[in-house]
Amino acid sequence: MTQDKKERITVEIYNKKYNIVGEEPASHVKLVASLVDEKMNEIQDANRHLDTANLAVLTAINTMNDYLKLKEDYASLLSSMKRKEDK
């Protein structure tokens, strides 16, 4: 990774600003931040007693769970497509 390709963008997640540096387009970083913020607010609405650290951990767990389910679904879909191609 070269410094020339990196972009810095400021996003707000759960009422706190974060400076993100990376190679992804600003629109992608903003979308990711928006989804994290949305998930944190969703979990907070259901669990008003959570402090920010616990809320962040639960958000990460929920997000990783969603990711793993999608990954399994994708693998299953690829397997199904391969079986159809082999017939």
Side-chain angles (χ1 to χ4, degrees):
M1 288 191 275
T2 63
Q3 281 296 100
D4 298 337
K5 293 182 180 180
K6 291 188 177 182
E7 192 170 339
R8 177 183 299 271
I9 184 165
T10 301
V11 297
E12 189 171 321
I13 301 171
Y14 203 65
N15 301 317
K16 185 172 179 186
K17 293 188 185 289
Y18 295 90
N19 293 315
I20 309 293
V21 178
E23 295 180 6
E24 297 292 339
S27 60
H28 179 79
V29 175
K30 287 179 183 179
L31 175 61
V32 170
S34 172
L35 292 170
V36 171
D37 183 63
E38 184 179 306
K39 181 63 90 172
M40 286 185 79
N41 283 296
E42 175 186 314
I43 293 171
Q44 178 65 40
D45 287 346
N47 303 280
R48 293 269 177 207
H49 66 281
L50 293 174
D51 63 19
T52 304
N54 286 320
L55 177 60
V57 169
L58 279 178
T59 300
I61 289 170
N62 276 266
T63 302
M64 187 55 63
N65 182 57
D66 292 347
Y67 168 76
L68 289 175
K69 284 181 182 178
L70 285 171
K71 194 173 175 181
E72 290 169 5
D73 290 348
Y74 178 71
S76 177
L77 179 62
L78 286 179
S79 177
S80 176
M81 289 174 60
K82 183 170 176 14
R83 283 192 305 269
K84 287 181 181 179
E85 288 175 356
D86 290 344
K87 288 184 178 181

